[in-house]
Amino acid sequence: MPGGVIRYFGVVAFIFICQLSWGQSTIGQWNEHLPYGNATKVTKADDVIYCATRSGLFEYDTESFLIKEWSKVNGLNGVDIATMEYSDDHRMLIIAYANSNIDLLMDRSEVINIPDVKQKQIIGSKRINSIQIYQDEAFISCGFGIIVLNLIKGEISSTYYIGEEGEHLEVFETEIYHYDSIFAATAKGIRKAFVRHPNLENYIFWEDVAGLPHPNDSWNHMAYNDGLLFASHQSPTDYLDSIYTYNGHHWEPYTWAYKDIRKMEFCNDKLWTVSEFQLNQMQEDGKRLLHLNTYGFDYLRAQDALADENGVLWIADQLYGLMKTTDFENF
């Protein structure tokens, strides 16, 4: 078929699709036309992949291949999602916005708003940095400490100020260590406590982790697997984030350091790191199994990534939105 004819039919098909989409609009009804290219977070809920962007949220059904968009038009209470996490047990997506507002998306249908942190009168940053789900609670790391969200009641149950003398201390991430301790990566080292202590609101039950290198510096991400904790240290003098491991007694430097680590997570006993312009999969002993820095047509700009149980790697890309690959060569 001549090239001109192919281009002609391509244009006709495009116009037809546009007209069909326009024809579904109803007079007097609001419709959204939001950019979903700047992806920031990705998480999985059964057969659905949730992808957060600066403009809102969309879900991609891996069985039906359908996409549903979420925004303030159809139920959300904010834009510019800072982070999110999904609870399988409670079928709940916890969404935290850059302005510290929180939404709970229940069972892919109902949205419950929790404005407590946003409305809280506090000096300093209220930014929500990360969310960790543990049993029936979500530990939400904030600019002033940790808030605890009761997933059964759908409400804030506690606030932890874990700095010395109970001062506000920015917490970037929490991790449950060996099923009985909670570690908090903060702007001044890493602190810990017994996760089921009845009075964690009292700062005296939080303590510095012994032997931590650079104890007064900022530590931002952690990952735990089979008795070994991985933590990233933000150097105050250069752009590289160094990784250290902790076995419950001693800290040791890890083989690799990366610029601007954005996430560390274990998937199938392999450590994944997301950093500026690259993704890496590594063994605990430091052997690198996979290094990705390009899609073949452009560099990665990954903000987040998820390796699921089916061998699919999902990437939240700053420029290209939600990307996926199964062979790490074709995206």
Side-chain angles (χ1 to χ4, degrees):
M1 185 179 292
V5 176
I6 293 175
R7 286 192 295 272
Y8 169 78
F9 278 107
V11 172
V12 170
F14 176 76
I15 293 175
F16 173 75
I17 291 171
C18 291
Q19 289 178 334
L20 181 62
S21 300
W22 180 263
Q24 293 173 341
S25 302
T26 303
I27 296 176
Q29 176 181 342
W30 285 98
N31 294 279
E32 59 180 351
H33 302 279
L34 301 173
Y36 285 91
N38 191 341
T40 57
K41 295 291 292 185
V42 59
T43 192
K44 191 175 188 294
D46 299 322
D47 295 325
V48 172
I49 299 295
Y50 284 102
C51 183
T53 73
R54 292 301 181 191
S55 302
L57 173 76
F58 68 87
E59 59 181 60
Y60 171 67
D61 193 311
T62 60
E63 295 292 323
S64 67
F65 310 117
L66 295 177
I67 291 176
K68 179 178 181 179
E69 298 172 346
W70 290 91
S71 70
K72 295 184 74 172
V73 173
N74 64 347
L76 297 188
N77 291 278
V79 295
D80 195 2
I81 296 173
T83 189
M84 64 179 181
E85 200 64 56
Y86 184 77
S87 169
D88 292 295
D89 292 339
H90 300 86
R91 299 184 63 81
M92 174 194 301
L93 181 69
I94 306 170
I95 305 166
Y97 301 97
N99 66 354
S100 304
N101 202 5
I102 297 174
D103 275 342
L104 306 180
L105 177 55
M106 312 293 296
D107 205 18
R108 302 177 62 187
S109 57
E110 178 187 7
V111 178
I112 298 174
N113 184 233
I114 302 180
D116 302 45
V117 183
K118 178 184 176 183
Q119 296 174 355
K120 190 178 183 69
Q121 298 297 317
I122 191 171
I123 298 175
S125 170
K126 296 191 294 183
R127 177 175 174 81
I128 295 175
N129 294 312
S130 66
I131 302 168
Q132 183 191 20
I133 294 172
Y134 180 64
Q135 297 179 352
D136 293 326
E137 295 178 322
F139 296 101
I140 302 178
S141 301
C142 305
F144 54 86
I146 302 169
I147 60 173
V148 183
L149 174 66
N150 185 307
L151 300 181
I152 297 176
K153 297 180 179 180
E155 63 184 25
I156 302 297
S157 60
S158 302
T159 301
Y160 304 154
Y161 300 105
I162 69 172
E164 295 291 342
E165 304 300 324
E167 67 180 6
H168 292 183
L169 177 62
E170 182 162 19
V171 179
F172 296 105
E173 197 164 280
T174 61
E175 186 66 72
I176 303 300
Y177 182 83
H178 205 57
Y179 308 106
D180 64 359
S181 299
I182 177 172
F183 280 47
T186 80
K188 294 181 180 179
I190 298 178
R191 311 211 80 202
K192 69 174 183 176
F194 288 109
V195 68
R196 287 305 171 209
H197 194 285
N199 193 18
L200 288 185
E201 291 184 331
N202 190 330
Y203 71 91
I204 67 172
F205 296 108
W206 291 83
E207 62 181 6
D208 293 328
V209 179
L212 178 72
H214 316 290
N216 296 316
D217 290 349
S218 178
W219 294 72
N220 56 355
H221 297 291
M222 296 181 293
Y224 174 79
N225 186 57
D226 194 25
L228 199 61
L229 180 76
F230 288 70
S232 59
H233 163 250
Q234 293 182 298
S235 172
T237 58
D238 58 43
Y239 295 102
L240 289 179
D241 293 344
S242 301
I243 301 175
Y244 289 80
T245 62
Y246 179 68
N247 62 5
H249 303 283
H250 305 289
W251 290 92
E252 298 290 343
Y254 193 56
T255 310
W256 301 93
Y258 299 105
K259 183 178 179 181
D260 187 18
I261 293 178
R262 295 163 185 176
K263 182 179 183 178
M264 295 198 306
E265 183 176 44
F266 273 95
C267 297
N268 302 319
D269 293 325
K270 303 297 187 296
L271 178 67
W272 285 88
T273 62
V274 181
S275 57
E276 187 174 53
F277 296 116
Q278 61 179 294
L279 289 168
N280 292 279
Q281 182 196 52
M282 296 170 292
Q283 293 182 163
E284 287 186 359
D285 61 8
K287 180 181 179 181
R288 186 160 68 179
L289 304 175
L290 180 69
H291 170 71
L292 296 174
N293 64 358
T294 178
Y295 296 121
F297 56 84
D298 200 354
Y299 291 109
L300 275 78
R301 294 172 176 83
Q303 304 298 299
D304 192 16
L306 167 70
D308 70 19
E309 66 277 7
N310 299 315
V312 181
L313 177 64
W314 303 89
I315 302 171
D317 190 275
Q318 188 178 21
L319 186 60
Y320 294 107
L322 180 63
M323 303 286 287
K324 74 170 184 175
T325 181
T326 55
D327 60 7
F328 310 117
E329 294 182 0
N330 299 287
F331 297 83

